[in-house]
Amino acid sequence: MQRTIRLFFVLMMSTLLNASTNWAPVVMGDITMFMPYTTKPIINTVISQYSPNATVSITISGELSGDRDWAGVYRVGDNNDWANVIAWNWVSNGTTELNLNQKPMPAGEYEIRLFFHNSYHMEAVYRFRVVENHTFGHAGTHAVSTHTEVADGNSIVYYPSDIAQMPKTPLIFFCPGFGNQNHVSYKSLLTFIASHGYSVIYAKDYYGDPNTFIKRFEKMLDNNNDVLPHVDTTRIGVIGHSSGGGDTFKILDHFSKKGYGANGRFLMSLDGWFAFGMNSDQMRNLPSNTNVVIQRYEHPTHPNTQDPRITLSEYALLDSIANNKKDYQVYNPATHGYPGGSRAYTDMQGLLKPLDALMAVTFKGEENAHDTALENGSDTPYEDGLEDVREIWRYAYRCNSHKNRAEVMEIDYCHEYNQPKVYPADTIFDDKTQANVAKPNYLDSYVDPVFGNKVTRITDRANQTGNSKPYPKTQVWNADQTLIRLGYRIYYSDNFSETPITTNTLIRGSLTEMKWSSYEPDVFYGIDIRWDRFVFVKAKINSDHTITYTDMPNATFMKSEYDELLLGKYEGNLDFQDNYVVFAGRKKDTNRVTLIVYHLKNNYGTTYNSIVSNVTTDMKWYVEDANGNFTTSGANSNQMFDWASISALGNYVIVNYRSKKGDPAQEYSIEQYDRHINHIRRLAEHGNHGDLGVDANGKEVYVQFGFGTEEGIWMYPLDGSPRTQLLPDKYNGGHVSCRNYKRPGWCYLNTRYLWNGAGVREVFALKLDDSHTVERFAQTHTSIQNSECVQVNVSPDGTQILFNSDWNSGSQADYQWDADHYMSCSNSERKIKIDTYHVKVGE
């Protein structure tokens, strides 16, 4: 016993000299003693696989002796003799390169061995591989098998036939293009991936819904088949083609949030489409350890019909991913269908070579694979001219041809790649002091002293004609925001000078209610009133600045049948996708409204030109006397029907009319119909200034001011959900514009006045949720008498607005006004030519 205690004492004293010594309790009968121990060192290579000429780097953690510790590279099977050392170095905790006495390392299995005290007694070991320099793009060494999951969409996994004898394989998700329901459409690509020792799951297409892909992928990984036990979900890749290429971002985001890909992940989008399921913030915050390749295809004799702004914008949003981990590639010659089919690998090298390298650098850490995968194209493809971005109307699949999805519409695919959007700061609607600003001269500017935005006067109505600003429900800017239309004149949007298009010849005078196309910058539509007919017309601005007018098929209405035919009666509009428009007609010698839905075209330019119409037997156009007689000679006071409009995404028709003049309970109401003119419900009991848009969740809504007991700004969802008060009516109602179709989730408004005549008049944006969030642009400096004339208009992307102002020049002598009676804007303009002002954020 004395000898044992003496030995323990010697051991204890020796270890006390080492401050890093750890102590473990040891129980001996009723006595607990603490015995010293040290942490066994752990050694690893930085990557799992090296090329023959590479320098091996290692990491060490745990307790070292601190006395000439070293590590060396050995072939597996060789003893520890010095003669067998291939490379070595002295080591400490952390990372060390074994670069001393470097000898060749032919392909094979190797070990890192750790020694203390300059000895050959091994303390730790780690095995790694050396492979010959990889020739990327060739078939792998594994035979390939498949497993089909019939229970959910016939999803299928391609995997190495010898998977049971292998370590777990990395897992790759594959999303096919639109309409591809069979994995055979991509057989060569799927087989190639599996031949290299990876498992790849194919799920058949479900356009624009990455959640369906996710559901099918997860079904393959639910432990009810033999897939999950053989895959390593810490190493994942996502590949997609066409519409599936757009889905890759959401799928990567979803599985990364589940913890997949912690040890390596990549994304490869092949001629991809919109990033369905993702907004710009989500795109900017994808995991930073992701390797990303975006490929686009071009062919000299078969030009790609897909707008490259889509993929350029997606690439530009990848802020969280460093340039050395992402690459934008354009492969020429290749058509859009290049990734598909059962073809020889030699015909697919533009895809297979970078893909092979991408998998090698992501999953195997092969340094020599990096440049082949991630340095083929450009980190700044637009600046480098990698893409030849043509005029938007030259593409069949355009950057603004989005589907009805809020997150897709939130991303500005037409401009994100080139310039970030700037909006006013989000804030609340609090009181601001009226600023004293001198009226600017024509084309002069000032900086709004309250909100800091540049305001420019763009008209001189005292000396100009034919350039009155359109009503707020009409889009002033063309599709690419290079032109603005004021009345019958067209101006350049950057300097507000009139274009040669209308300098000498105005827009056809008989054309009323002009509406810009949301897709084609040189196209607008309108109703042409001729001596014997009403015709819906397409106007095309030509390269020589002339305008060609073309009658649209099936859109001619003879005056022998119709006394009146209007495009919604001045407040109607095209939907945001140029699919539908509503006409309102009054048939000859009747007093009933006929609603007509005209199907203009689908998203990709195929013309349908079909019509659905219905005579609304309960909706009168004019006031009738006791005998049912009516007159068309009256002004607004004689009007029962006000306006009809298609909803923002084309699913509903909204009508504003009153059923009985003079009865407060029967004043204007807002009625909702479906696209086939079937009445759904009374949307709002009172009809005031409002517009149709899309809320923050992508739902169609109607937004309008309320008065009396309904004061406030109200949002009415068209899906039947309860209405929401967006903002208390602090400054009373003005006008509403939701024409910002490239920035859904907001509408733009102007305030008018308090009932007592006080209050600051301004223009602002209002978020369509319950947060009461506003973005404020500028004060309007409009008199109370002419406050009705402000009538804000908004650009498609929501960064610019127009408003009218008389610059406080109205007077009680010229206008009779009190809390209940005020002059209309049209009447006011007869006395004062009200000018238009432009505000752009960030200038």
Side-chain angles (χ1 to χ4, degrees), residues 361-407:
V361 72
T362 303
F363 300 141
K364 298 178 181 178
E366 293 187 24
E367 294 177 334
N368 64 318
H370 177 273
D371 289 358
T372 303
L374 297 166
E375 297 297 338
N376 259 332
S378 170
D379 295 331
T380 54
Y382 180 68
E383 295 175 17
D384 293 344
L386 194 64
E387 288 280 23
D388 179 20
V389 179
R390 294 172 287 163
E391 297 91 345
I392 190 173
W393 60 88
R394 296 186 184 274
Y395 297 101
Y397 304 93
R398 299 165 182 152
C399 58
N400 57 6
S401 57
H402 44 66
K403 289 290 184 180
N404 307 349
R405 296 285 296 278
E407 68 277 3

Side-chain angles (χ1 to χ4, degrees), residues 642-702:
D642 193 353
W643 55 263
S645 178
I646 195 74
S647 61
L649 302 181
N651 295 311
Y652 303 99
V653 175
I654 307 300
V655 182
N656 183 9
Y657 85 109
R658 56 184 174 181
S659 57
K660 183 178 180 182
K661 180 175 172 52
D663 182 349
Q666 300 292 332
E667 286 299 296
Y668 286 110
S669 62
I670 305 295
E671 306 295 327
Q672 181 179 353
Y673 293 78
D674 66 19
R675 201 165 56 214
H676 299 284
I677 323 295
N678 298 306
H679 188 263
I680 297 175
R681 62 170 174 155
R682 174 161 292 179
L683 189 65
E685 291 294 334
H686 302 281
N688 300 308
H689 289 148
D691 199 4
L692 291 150
V694 179
D695 74 3
N697 296 314
K699 295 181 179 180
E700 294 189 286
V701 295
Y702 173 67

Side-chain angles (χ1 to χ4, degrees), residues 83 152 245 254 407 413 467 523 570 595 609 793 814 816:
D152 197 353
H254 171 84
E407 68 277 3
Y413 289 93
N467 63 346
V523 170
Y570 300 101
L595 297 176
N609 308 126
N793 293 85
D814 290 330
Q816 296 181 355

Side-chain angles (χ1 to χ4, degrees), residues 158 174 180 182-192 241 337-345 348 351:
Y158 282 62
F174 185 84
N180 285 284
N182 194 316
H183 62 94
V184 176
S185 299
Y186 297 92
K187 185 175 181 180
S188 290
L189 180 54
L190 298 171
T191 303
F192 177 85
H241 173 225
Y338 181 66
S342 299
R343 308 202 318 272
Y345 293 161
M348 303 176 68
L351 165 58

Side-chain angles (χ1 to χ4, degrees), residues 739-757:
R739 301 296 93 195
N740 44 294
Y741 56 83
K742 293 182 182 178
R743 195 203 185 196
W746 297 78
C747 284
Y748 289 66
L749 303 90
N750 63 274
T751 55
R752 196 166 65 189
Y753 52 82
L754 289 174
W755 287 118
N756 61 9

Side-chain angles (χ1 to χ4, degrees), residues 313-328:
S313 295
E314 289 166 344
Y315 190 82
L317 286 169
L318 302 178
D319 293 346
S320 61
I321 300 171
N323 283 345
N324 67 342
K325 296 181 71 64
K326 62 186 177 184
D327 199 35
Y328 189 100

